[in-house]
Amino acid sequence: MQNKTIIRTLLLSAAFIFSISIQAQDKKAKALLDQVSAKVKGYSSITIDFKYSLSNAKENINQDSKGNVILKGDQYVLNFMGVTKLFDGKKTYTIVPEDEEITISKVDENDNTAVTPSKMLTFFNSGYKYTLDQATTIKGKKIQYVKLVPMSSKDQRKEILLGIDSQTKQIYNLIEIGKKGTKTTLTVNSFKTNLPLSKNQFTFVKSKYPNYYINSLD
């Protein structure tokens, strides 16, 4: 009887210590994410060149693409896979030169799961549970990963690993792991801040596309 009591006490103590450890990690993870958010808010503009990889072993899929995005507040211009996506703060303009087509749509205010370019650097602020994950060195940079688990059961992502440069507090990469085995990785190749932008950087100019079919979803 005494042995059972001792074992039970040890198990409870171990569980308590483990709980404290997890809470400590959560606080460290939150502190790191808060630093990243503060950094982002301090920039007048951000210009990013990135690599995007998609893989699924079961489906034998392995694709790599490159792109770039210019951000200022909620506004952005994204160039990716031959398509330009411009958001002026109210509407999104998806420009497809190959088809000579432009789609104009309003932002879905209820879609909190989509990681759009304007949310890419701050999406983690709500809707996720997070803990510190592994720390590693990549190309001389010390990268600390934070594991994010979506709270919504409807989210098709199992988890997200956010790699943060420990020195600059900037995002190095973002790895999404889907529930069906799909893995996507966005790696930042170049991160430039406060570059001068033209006044019409985020303005859609219809006259530039005289022969394009315009599909308005308003």
Side-chain angles (χ1 to χ4, degrees):
M1 189 73 177
Q2 187 175 1
N3 288 338
K4 288 184 178 180
T5 302
I6 293 173
I7 292 172
R8 187 180 303 164
T9 302
L10 289 173
L11 289 174
L12 289 173
S13 298
F16 178 70
I17 292 170
F18 179 75
S19 174
I20 291 175
S21 176
I22 291 296
Q23 289 177 10
Q25 283 189 334
D26 287 349
K27 288 181 180 179
K28 288 181 180 179
K30 185 180 187 309
L32 184 56
L33 294 177
D34 286 346
Q35 287 178 307
V36 173
S37 294
K39 274 272 188 178
V40 171
K41 290 177 182 178
Y43 301 133
S44 62
S45 69
I46 299 172
T47 302
I48 298 172
D49 290 331
F50 62 86
K51 176 184 176 182
Y52 182 84
S53 301
L54 183 150
S55 62
N56 187 313
K58 291 182 180 179
E59 301 294 334
N60 196 27
I61 297 173
N62 197 349
Q63 300 175 351
D64 289 331
S65 305
K66 291 183 179 181
N68 60 75
V69 62
I70 300 173
L71 302 155
K72 183 177 182 180
D74 289 333
Q75 299 174 308
Y76 64 80
V77 178
L78 169 68
N79 294 295
F80 183 57
M81 297 184 73
V83 176
T84 296
K85 203 166 188 177
L86 183 152
F87 179 59
D88 62 7
K90 295 181 179 179
K91 296 182 179 181
T92 300
Y93 301 83
T94 303
I95 305 164
V96 187
E98 185 177 355
D99 299 330
E100 292 193 340
E101 182 175 325
I102 297 169
T103 300
I104 304 174
S105 59
K106 289 184 178 179
V107 176
D108 184 358
E109 300 292 344
N110 296 318
D111 187 2
N112 294 319
T113 62
V115 182
T116 61
S118 55
K119 292 180 182 178
M120 188 178 74
L121 303 176
T122 57
F123 75 94
F124 45 77
N125 285 327
S126 63
Y128 300 89
K129 295 178 181 178
Y130 43 77
T131 55
L132 279 184
D133 204 81
Q134 67 173 337
T136 186
T137 300
I138 303 175
K139 296 179 180 179
K141 298 179 180 179
K142 292 183 178 179
I143 307 299
Q144 172 64 60
Y145 282 94
V146 175
K147 180 186 289 186
L148 305 161
V149 178
M151 292 182 182
S152 173
S153 59
K154 296 180 180 179
D155 200 309
Q156 294 304 305
R157 296 166 299 175
K158 180 182 177 182
E159 63 185 33
I160 301 168
L161 291 173
L162 190 65
I164 300 169
D165 188 317
S166 298
Q167 182 176 359
T168 65
K169 300 301 185 292
Q170 294 174 351
I171 294 176
Y172 171 74
N173 66 357
L174 184 153
I175 304 168
E176 291 187 351
I177 301 172
K179 293 178 179 178
K180 295 183 179 180
T182 299
K183 178 182 177 181
T184 60
T185 303
L186 188 151
T187 303
V188 175
N189 292 327
S190 173
F191 192 104
K192 299 177 182 178
T193 61
N194 304 331
L195 296 179
L197 305 177
S198 69
K199 292 181 179 179
N200 298 322
Q201 186 72 61
F202 306 102
T203 302
F204 174 70
V205 182
K206 186 178 179 180
S207 60
K208 288 184 178 180
Y209 312 95
N211 299 318
Y212 279 54
Y213 171 73
I214 296 181
N215 179 26
S216 182
L217 303 179
D218 295 348

